[in-house]
Amino acid sequence: MGVTLIMLAIKLNRFLTFDPIYLVGQRREWLVGPREIAHLIGIAGCTVGGWYFISSFASKLLICWNLALTVAFVVGVASMGPESQWLYDAFGITPLELYVNLSTIYLGAWIWLALTAWAVPNMLRFRPALIISCIFMVVTIGLWELYTQPFVHVYDGPARGWIQASQVACDLLGVLVGALLVLFTNYQARRP
């Protein structure tokens, strides 16, 4: 479900169009458009995906499943070639960019979770995994939206110089939506 929401967000960011609206007054910091909506959905997907990834390290079967998916991802990206046009058309990134951006994060997460599974296995249970996923997302949002973009850089361009409050609000709402989706699906799965 997490990956599906992330892919939906990427598609919405590219193809959803509507006139942006102001949430508060007429200030650019509170302007909400298609990108903010895509962020809300994508961050919800990241929260769900993060929870699944973290909690999956509590089971040897799911660790093997993750390893198989990792190998399939690496082989799939490698087989596309460096200039796969369909990936760029669909998501605006090349296979090499996808591989480089995701592999370092994924490798770091694997090492951290393997150590956590060994040292503190209770952290990988349902609720702690959800809390860790939410905290990770909030910290990432804070670093990116409250420090990096206003003061360091915005992707390849200069720093924005101001905090995009609507983006922060949509991102935090996305964390909440993702957590609620995890709780709801877990509740539904446990019902008789």
Side-chain angles (χ1 to χ4, degrees), residues 7-63:
M7 296 300 218
L8 175 64
I10 292 169
K11 284 295 209 182
L12 285 175
N13 187 47
R14 291 193 59 149
F15 299 110
L16 183 66
T17 57
F18 64 86
D19 290 332
I21 58 169
Y22 291 97
L23 290 180
V24 177
Q26 295 291 316
R27 301 178 62 186
R28 66 182 176 181
E29 294 89 351
W30 289 100
L31 194 62
V32 174
R35 184 168 181 81
E36 288 73 24
I37 302 303
H39 259 248
L40 189 152
I41 294 168
I43 295 293
C46 289
T47 304
V48 172
W51 164 78
Y52 168 77
F53 186 66
I54 293 166
S55 62
S56 71
F57 275 77
S59 161
K60 289 181 182 177
L61 176 66
L62 290 177
I63 289 173

